[in-house]
Amino acid sequence: QQQVKQSPQSLIVQKGGISIINCAYENTAFDYFPWYQQFPGKGPALLIAIRPDVSEKKEGRFTISFNKSAKQFSLHIMDSQPGDSATYFCAASKEAGYSTLTFGKGTMLLVSP
Amino acid sequence: NAGVMQNPRHLVRRRGQEARLRCSPMKGHSHVYWYRQLPEEGLKFMVYLQKENIIDESGMPKERFSAEFPKEGPSILRIQQVVRGDSAAYFCASLEGGASQPQHFGDGTRLSIL
C-alpha cells in the first residue's frame, strides 16, 4: 500500500522555467510534509517542509502548496536552474520530528541549460 | 559540525555473508532512523532507535535483520546471511529530539550482493 503517491516520475524543464511536482497522501493522521532533495551518491537533504495549518510556504525559489481537503501538496521551483537537477522526494509523517517518514517514489528533475 | 556519518560508503558481500552498516549521528542527536532505498524507489522506513532502545522496528524484515544503538558508539544495522535482494542503499537519519525537528540524513551505504 503506497501511502504517498508522487508524480511525475521524471521532469525536464528549461532553465528559468517553473518545476512542479505533486504528491497525494491517504493517511489523514499525517501532519508534517517535508520535501527532500537528493543528488547522485548523496543522502536526501531537507529542502522545505509544511504543516497542514497553512496552505502555502515559501523559501527563496521553493514553494510548497498544500490542499488539506484534497489531501494533496506540491513543490514549485521558480526560475529553475541546472543546479536544481536532482531527485526530489515528498514525504509525510504523523508528527514532526519523532515519527517515521513515509516517502513518495521520487521525481528526477533535469533542468536544461 | 559534522553531519551524519555512515560507513562504509560501499560494501560488497557474497550471498550468505554478513553485512554490518554503521551510523554515527550528528553530535547531540539521540534518535536514529534507518531507511532502505531500492533502485527507482523512495526510501522505506526500517527501524527507529534511541540510545539502547528500539522504539519502532515495524519496517524491519523479521529475519536476518537487526539493529542496535548502544550507549557508546555508532548505531549498527546488521544483515545476516545476505541475499541478492538485500542489494540497496541504506540510509541513516538522526534527530536531536523535540517537536518540529527535521531528520538529517547521511550519505548512505551502498550494499551490493554478489
Side-chain angles (χ1 to χ4, degrees):
Chain A
Q1 180 187 0
Q2 187 184 351
Q3 293 195 53
V4 178
K5 294 184 179 180
Q6 184 171 347
S7 64
Q9 190 174 357
S10 62
L11 181 62
I12 300 175
V13 173
Q14 285 198 326
K15 179 182 175 182
I18 302 173
S19 303
I20 302 174
I21 304 171
N22 301 298
C23 282
Y25 63 97
E26 299 168 4
N27 190 338
T28 54
F30 287 148
D31 68 354
Y32 176 66
F33 303 90
W35 284 88
Y36 282 83
Q37 179 189 56
Q38 185 180 30
F39 293 104
K42 295 293 188 181
L46 179 67
L47 199 58
I48 186 172
I50 197 167
R51 301 290 299 269
D53 51 348
V54 297
S55 60
E56 185 175 284
K57 183 174 180 180
K58 183 176 180 179
E59 290 184 3
R61 296 184 295 109
F62 301 92
T63 300
I64 299 180
S65 297
F66 187 85
N67 186 330
K68 188 174 181 178
S69 61
K71 293 188 286 185
Q72 295 175 347
F73 58 110
S74 60
L75 175 70
H76 295 233
I77 307 174
M78 312 299 286
D79 187 25
S80 299
Q81 299 296 312
D84 296 330
S85 298
T87 300
Y88 292 81
F89 294 96
C90 62
S93 72
K94 293 178 185 178
E95 180 182 342
Y98 284 109
S99 186
T100 60
L101 291 168
T102 300
F103 283 87
K105 288 193 173 184
T107 296
M108 193 176 301
L109 171 65
L110 177 64
V111 180
S112 59
Chain B
N1 183 21
V4 177
M5 303 300 291
Q6 289 189 248
N7 64 82
R9 293 295 314 280
H10 301 274
L11 182 61
V12 179
R13 286 287 178 265
R14 296 189 180 279
R15 283 179 293 172
Q17 291 185 321
E18 178 180 290
R20 283 190 176 228
L21 288 61
R22 289 177 291 278
C23 169
S24 296
M26 289 180 69
K27 187 177 181 181
H29 287 195
S30 58
H31 303 251
V32 166
Y33 298 76
W34 285 93
Y35 294 84
R36 177 164 62 177
Q37 184 177 34
L38 295 169
E40 310 296 323
E41 295 281 330
L43 286 77
K44 296 268 198 276
F45 165 74
M46 299 182 74
V47 62
Y48 164 34
L49 310 102
Q50 293 182 24
K51 286 282 188 181
E52 301 184 276
N53 288 303
I54 296 175
I55 305 302
D56 180 357
E57 56 182 348
S58 59
M60 192 95 98
K62 294 289 185 283
E63 297 179 352
R64 303 187 298 108
F65 285 73
S66 62
E68 63 176 8
F69 188 16
K71 186 176 180 180
E72 301 291 336
S75 175
I76 305 286
L77 179 66
R78 182 182 178 204
I79 310 172
Q80 296 178 289
Q81 299 176 340
V82 296
V83 301
R84 287 247 171 89
D86 297 331
S87 295
Y90 292 82
F91 290 94
C92 163
S94 75
L95 177 65
E96 182 177 2
S100 301
Q101 296 297 316
Q103 294 185 21
H104 296 269
F105 283 81
D107 285 338
T109 293
R110 272 84 182 159
L111 175 64
S112 298
I113 309 301
L114 301 179

